[in-house]
Amino acid sequence: MSEPAPEAPPAAVAVDPAAPEEPKGPSKSELKKAAKKAEKAASKATKAAASAASAPPADVDFAEAFYGTLPLHQSQERPNRQRTRIESLTPNDEGKTVLFRARINTSRAQGGKMLFLNLRQRTVSVQGLMVVAPEKVSKQMVKWAAGLLSESIVLVEGTVQKTTEEIKSASIKDVEIMITKFHLVSGIEGNLPFSLEDANRAEADYEIEGSQFNRVNIDTRLSGRVLDLRTQTNQAVFKLQAAVTDYFRQFLHSQGFVEIHTPKLQGAATESGASVFKVQYFKGEAFLAQSPQLAKQMCIAADFERVYEIGPVFRAENANTHRHLTEFIGLDLEMAIEEHYHEVMELLDGLFLSIFRQLRENLKDEIEIVRKQFPAEEFIWREGPEGTLKLTFAEAVDLLVADGVDRSILDDINTENEKRLGKIVREKYHTDYFIIDKFPMELRPFYTMADPNNPGLSNSYDFFMRGEEILSGAQRIHEPNLLMQEMKKKGIDPAQMQAYVDAFKMGCPPHGGGGIGLERVLMLFLKLNNIRRASLFPRDPKRLEP
């Protein structure tokens, strides 16, 4: 076996003298600088991450528990938290936390961080202010509140703060509420039929040259009556109406009267068949009461002596006028007479004078509110020793004839001449309130007692305000045979009202009374010019809703 050949020596590596030298590494100094820079960047990143972790996400609202829509109120709980009435707020409450429910009257955002609100309870309002503040009020809260519609009902919590300047847009002028919590109780669905601002506007505003206000006519108001009733004027009108019935009751109680409640379904017409509503009554028919007249008189026969009632009255008169309703509230009274029917007339006069005085003394603010929208001459009456003006029917006719009215048309005084007489009386006697006595017998109902000296006249009277009748009354017939005789003269069969006639056969004292239309009294005292404005939900020949 031959020996292996010896290995060749390694070839020599050629060196290129033009090739660049290999770069040198960073120096120690440079390495230190780089390390410090990286350390700072890492520290900054760590801090940023920590800050980001601790901060709430951009879409999280720190105030979300302080506002929003409340669950449906089903009386789930009763925490017994004290509620505040806006009208009670004064500067003495500064710093006090208050809770109250109110309507949003108006709202006005200022930028995205401030919201002014006018908050209303009935007719009283206060300014609310919502301002963005850390951990208290967020931008989202302000934005949400600004989006709520006027007339929404909200639950408000905040702090009372005195103001440096008078707040002209609110009835509470010296404090405002710094709002911290704001929740929706009841919102608005759809569009309101009109704005409350327009509905509150004075009639005179529309006469201003260049004005472009939206006039809310009476039919629109009545169709949207719930909204219309929220106006300051209507709140005042119906507070005055409530006062009239209160004063009516108080006066009559002081005079020994008993309040009664009579049926409104009757088997016969009270006065005549021409103006009654017939209703089906099982297999027969009944009538809606034109007045409590029959029942009042029967109560006198039952020895009640003095009675009154406040209740609905129905009249089937197709009269589309400013002063007629098919249903209204009657203030009726009846009383036994000792000597003369003027006892009744004088008591009624005292009743009206008492009501007028108390309205003037106790409800000045409400009267003033109404006058802002419906300006009118102040209602006046005679308060001196001369007493209330009392005219006979003949004297009233003479006044009209002297003013140019043809006597031949004055067998009855129609509406036009009543108003004319009212103007004459105001100019001559300086009163809007007066009484006419001794009407012709033919103009009065069957139960009216005749004058003892002139059978063509009656012991009857009407009371007037601003030239319009507000009460009709008389001495009644208490003798059954005379009563039946007068019924037959008016075409009424006594047998159809047998229970009424029989009441007098059992003995009944002489008596008299009157019936007052509540809405008409209010309309004329305030000069509202349309009786529908004095009726909560008026009924006339063309309206049964709402």
Side-chain angles (χ1 to χ4, degrees):
M1 190 169 181
S2 59
E3 294 183 2
E7 292 183 3
V13 179
V15 177
D16 184 357
E21 292 185 9
E22 209 172 296
K24 297 178 180 179
S27 66
K28 290 182 179 181
S29 176
E30 289 172 335
L31 286 171
K32 285 182 179 179
K33 286 181 179 180
K36 284 183 178 181
K37 187 175 182 181
E39 187 180 344
K40 285 181 179 180
S43 176
K44 188 175 181 181
T46 300
K47 288 179 180 178
S51 177
S54 63
D59 59 347
V60 172
D61 181 3
F62 63 80
E64 64 179 346
F66 303 153
Y67 70 97
T69 302
L70 292 175
L72 176 66
H73 191 303
Q74 295 179 290
S75 299
Q76 294 95 325
E77 58 182 0
R78 192 174 186 183
N80 289 317
R81 292 195 62 190
Q82 184 178 352
R83 302 293 181 102
T84 298
R85 296 299 301 173
I86 288 175
E87 62 195 13
S88 72
L89 294 171
T90 71
N92 293 332
D93 295 316
E94 185 172 27
K96 180 180 177 182
T97 298
V98 292
L99 177 70
F100 60 88
R101 187 177 62 217
R103 285 192 186 272
I104 298 175
N105 204 33
T106 59
S107 65
R108 176 174 56 87
Q110 191 167 307
K113 295 185 177 182
M114 186 180 294
L115 176 66
F116 290 93
L117 296 125
N118 185 285
L119 302 166
R120 188 185 81 243
Q121 287 176 346
R122 292 189 179 178
T123 59
V124 184
S125 61
V126 67
Q127 179 169 282
L129 184 59
M130 190 182 293
V131 182
V132 171
E135 306 304 318
K136 294 181 179 179
V137 177
S138 63
K139 288 184 179 180
Q140 295 97 317
M141 181 174 172
V142 172
K143 182 178 179 181
W144 177 83
L148 295 178
L149 298 177
S150 293
E151 295 306 296
S152 297
I153 300 175
V154 290
L155 186 64
V156 183
E157 187 171 334
T159 305
V160 180
Q161 178 175 282
K162 283 196 294 189
T163 58
T164 55
E165 295 182 4
E166 182 182 276
I167 300 172
K168 295 181 180 179
S169 60
S171 52
I172 302 298
K173 301 186 178 300
D174 47 11
V175 300
E176 61 186 355
I177 307 300
M178 297 300 295
I179 297 171
T180 54
K181 294 181 181 179
F182 200 74
H183 290 91
L184 179 66
V185 176
S186 181
I188 306 301
E189 293 186 13
N191 296 320
L192 297 175
F194 47 84
S195 78
L196 221 59
E197 185 179 10
D198 286 332
N200 266 313
R201 206 176 299 284
E203 291 293 303
D205 290 352
Y206 299 108
E207 310 304 323
I208 300 172
E209 187 176 348
S211 66
Q212 297 181 341
F213 300 126
N214 294 318
R215 184 188 290 272
V216 186
N217 65 43
I218 193 162
D219 283 334
T220 301
R221 287 177 180 275
L222 295 180
S223 296
R225 190 59 163 165
V226 170
L227 181 61
D228 186 44
L229 289 172
R230 294 178 192 169
T231 65
Q232 284 204 331
T233 299
N234 279 325
Q235 291 281 314
V237 165
F238 290 100
K239 193 171 179 181
L240 284 155
Q241 187 187 84
V244 171
T245 56
D246 279 349
Y247 300 151
F248 178 81
R249 275 194 175 96
Q250 290 169 17
F251 181 87
L252 294 180
H253 283 172
S254 74
Q255 300 297 315
F257 280 73
V258 175
E259 184 170 9
I260 58 173
H261 306 282
T262 63
K264 303 309 164 197
L265 283 171
Q266 297 184 334
T270 311
E271 297 179 20
S272 70
S275 60
V276 292
F277 287 108
K278 287 183 181 180
V279 296
Q280 185 175 343
Y281 195 70
F282 302 102
K283 293 182 179 180
E285 64 181 20
F287 303 90
L288 294 181
Q290 293 167 292
S291 78
Q293 185 60 45
L294 307 186
K296 285 191 304 177
Q297 290 185 257
M298 292 165 78
C299 284
I300 299 303
D303 288 347
F304 279 60
E305 291 199 351
R306 294 185 168 201
V307 296
Y308 76 90
E309 179 172 22
I310 300 174
V313 173
F314 301 91
R315 299 285 170 90
E317 297 171 351
N318 191 16
N320 294 286
T321 74
H322 76 285
R323 67 176 191 165
H324 285 94
L325 294 170
T326 53
E327 179 184 350
F328 61 89
I329 300 301
L331 309 179
D332 281 86
L333 65 84
E334 204 77 14
M335 60 180 276
I337 294 169
E338 298 298 334
E339 296 179 340
H340 198 282
Y341 79 96
H342 279 180
E343 295 165 24
V344 188
M345 192 172 80
E346 289 160 5
L347 182 138
L348 285 164
D349 182 33
L351 166 65
F352 276 109
L353 294 177
S354 174
I355 291 172
F356 297 155
R357 280 194 296 267
Q358 289 185 86
L359 289 176
R360 183 180 62 189
E361 292 168 7
N362 301 336
L363 289 106
K364 292 178 182 177
D365 292 344
E366 285 74 16
I367 292 170
E368 188 56 36
I369 286 170
V370 175
R371 280 190 184 147
K372 286 179 182 177
Q373 187 159 23
F374 298 104
E377 292 179 311
E378 184 177 2
F379 181 80
I380 55 175
W381 61 94
R382 299 208 303 195
E383 298 184 79
E386 71 279 9
T388 298
L389 176 66
K390 299 177 182 70
L391 303 169
T392 63
F393 183 85
E395 289 169 339
V397 167
D398 288 343
L399 285 173
L400 286 166
V401 170
D403 198 54
V405 180
D406 186 351
R407 187 180 292 274
S408 66
I409 66 169
L410 291 174
D411 292 339
D412 190 6
I413 301 175
N414 61 22
T415 301
E416 180 184 350
N417 284 326
E418 279 183 0
K419 290 183 177 180
R420 188 166 182 168
L421 180 62
K423 292 178 181 178
I424 295 169
V425 166
R426 183 180 176 104
E427 290 174 6
K428 185 171 183 177
Y429 299 102
H430 309 292
T431 181
D432 288 314
Y433 165 67
F434 59 96
I435 300 168
I436 297 180
D437 192 16
K438 293 296 180 188
F439 278 78
M441 193 68 177
E442 63 182 0
L443 301 179
R444 309 308 272 193
F446 69 85
Y447 46 74
T448 306
M449 183 68 78
D451 180 278
N453 302 314
N454 184 345
L457 298 179
S458 63
N459 291 349
S460 69
Y461 40 80
D462 281 359
F463 286 44
F464 291 81
M465 293 172 64
R466 299 190 195 268
E468 297 194 45
E469 175 211 324
I470 46 100
L471 174 146
S472 184
Q475 179 180 356
R476 323 301 188 181
I477 296 174
H478 62 282
E479 203 284 318
N481 293 316
L482 177 59
L483 179 62
M484 289 188 286
Q485 179 182 316
E486 291 301 319
M487 292 173 81
K488 290 173 183 176
K489 284 183 183 178
K490 297 285 187 180
I492 299 170
D493 181 2
Q496 292 182 341
M497 304 175 74
Q498 195 63 52
Y500 171 69
V501 174
D502 286 348
F504 301 103
K505 290 180 178 179
M506 292 182 274
C508 182
H511 61 280
I516 304 163
L518 171 62
E519 292 88 348
R520 197 175 286 189
V521 169
L522 192 62
M523 172 189 73
L524 294 167
F525 185 82
L526 298 171
K527 202 173 183 183
L528 297 176
N529 302 319
N530 193 315
I531 197 166
R532 293 156 187 80
R533 293 192 177 105
S535 175
L536 197 66
F537 296 103
R539 295 290 179 262
D540 61 32
K542 296 181 179 179
R543 183 173 289 279
L544 277 171
E545 294 287 343

